[in-house]
Amino acid sequence: MKEKQQRIGFFERYLTLWVALCIVFGVAIGRFLPVIPQTLSKFEYANVSIPVAILIWLMIFPMMMKVDFNSVKNVGKRPKGILITVITNWIIKPFTMFGLAWLFFFIVFKSFIPDDLAHQYLAGAVLLGAAPCTAMVFVWSYLTRGDAAYTLVQVAVNDLIILFAFIPIVKFLLGIGGIAIPWDTLILSVVLFIVIPLAAAIITRRAIIHRKGIEYFNNVFIKKFNTTTVIGLLLTLIILFSFQGETILNNPLHIVLIAVPLVLQTLFIFFIAYGWAKAWKLSHDIAAPAGMIGASNFFELAVAVAIAVFGLNSGAALATVVGVLVEVPVMLSLVKIANNTRHWFPARQTV
């Protein structure tokens, strides 16, 4: 296990620490230098923060370039793992996330969370639940010795489904929760943070591979964006928390309360997919990534849409960032569980 863990980057390993530091730094800016968030709030178009939109593009674009959509043509060769991934991520996960968030925010924690904030936290949880992982899952797959090629197929399929399923699922669940969002607002946010970066990534990937080859793309070109992604995420979090300062200072316990259903959801979804794979007698290198994709979230997308739809100072945006805060330690614990239960699965996949 020691050898495999060397593969996870320094930034990814301590992501929870960086998020915690961004909370402190961002809250301090909002409290002692309010002119900064006040100035940034002026740069908006159609309720979308231009500075934040640019930073989120810097995060999402490199992730999109890593996905080879040509791999989708191999879906039919080993369909069981794909079927588990798709059903868990799109038919089970969004609805269980809604149910857990509603249970905790409106019933269990009712005396601690005002009704208006409960609705916003619910919205943030729904956005996380409707966005399965597309980037960090490659790390989790590697740490569990997953089939890298098959993981790529699973991620590519999920990215394509996001284009069509994310909006109606979010719209439906938020409608049940009594949260009205205009279709055009939700569509605009998805176009900005999925369609545009995805199209740009596909074009860039094909152009670079055509000119320089796949080895250059994987080993040289894509690595140039590692720092860009890190900077984009950290600056986005600092800006967001500069707007969230008053909410956090007035309700510091809320971060813990938000984390509870998010952590339970992560564990629940992992064991659904992982247990299903065991029941179907899939090999461990397929089962582990299938569980990781559902358990982990495309939090960059969730944060982006929460900011675009509800605003930088909204409870929805705060809830999505709490998802970032808890993801790495929870996922590393699931990696350990998956590696310790490798003997549950056959050595080779049975289709």
Side-chain angles (χ1 to χ4, degrees), residues 80-148:
K80 288 186 176 180
I82 298 295
L83 187 61
I84 291 173
T85 298
V86 170
I87 293 178
T88 301
N89 288 346
W90 297 104
I91 298 180
I92 299 175
K93 180 181 178 180
F95 301 93
T96 57
M97 183 73 266
F98 175 88
L100 281 171
W102 182 273
L103 173 65
F104 280 92
F105 297 152
F106 289 93
I107 299 177
V108 179
F109 300 146
K110 182 178 178 61
S111 59
F112 300 101
I113 303 177
D115 190 66
D116 59 333
L117 276 180
H119 279 89
Q120 293 187 43
Y121 295 161
L122 175 67
V126 166
L127 292 174
L128 285 168
C133 188
T134 64
M136 284 293 285
V137 69
F138 292 113
V139 175
W140 313 133
S141 177
Y142 180 85
L143 294 178
T144 55
R145 283 185 266 171
D147 184 326

Side-chain angles (χ1 to χ4, degrees), residues 8 13 140 143 327-337:
I8 188 170
R13 183 187 296 274
W140 313 133
L143 294 178
E327 172 150 327
V328 171
V330 175
M331 293 304 299
L332 285 176
S333 69
L334 292 178
V335 166
K336 186 174 182 179
I337 290 172

Side-chain angles (χ1 to χ4, degrees), residues 150-169:
Y150 199 82
T151 301
L152 182 61
V153 176
Q154 290 172 305
V155 171
V157 170
N158 269 309
D159 278 352
L160 291 175
I161 294 175
I162 284 176
L163 291 173
F164 306 100
F166 183 80
I167 291 178
I169 287 176

Side-chain angles (χ1 to χ4, degrees), residues 19 45 56 73 125 140 144 174 194 214 216 221 252 268 270 294:
V19 175
Y45 180 78
I56 289 175
K73 64 186 179 183
W140 313 133
T144 55
L174 293 185
I194 299 181
I214 187 65
Y216 173 84
F221 183 78
F268 180 64
F270 171 79

Side-chain angles (χ1 to χ4, degrees), residues 33 156 194 207 220 318:
L33 295 172
I194 299 181
V220 179
L318 178 61

Side-chain angles (χ1 to χ4, degrees), residues 214-252:
I214 187 65
E215 293 296 325
Y216 173 84
F217 179 84
N218 288 331
N219 299 324
V220 179
F221 183 78
I222 197 67
K223 292 182 178 179
K224 295 179 180 179
F225 291 87
N226 289 346
T227 303
T228 302
T229 300
V230 172
I231 292 174
L233 176 59
L234 295 183
L235 289 179
T236 299
L237 294 178
I238 290 172
I239 292 175
L240 189 149
F241 285 118
S242 72
F243 282 83
Q244 291 282 353
E246 184 177 351
T247 300
I248 293 174
L249 291 174
N250 292 336
N251 309 285

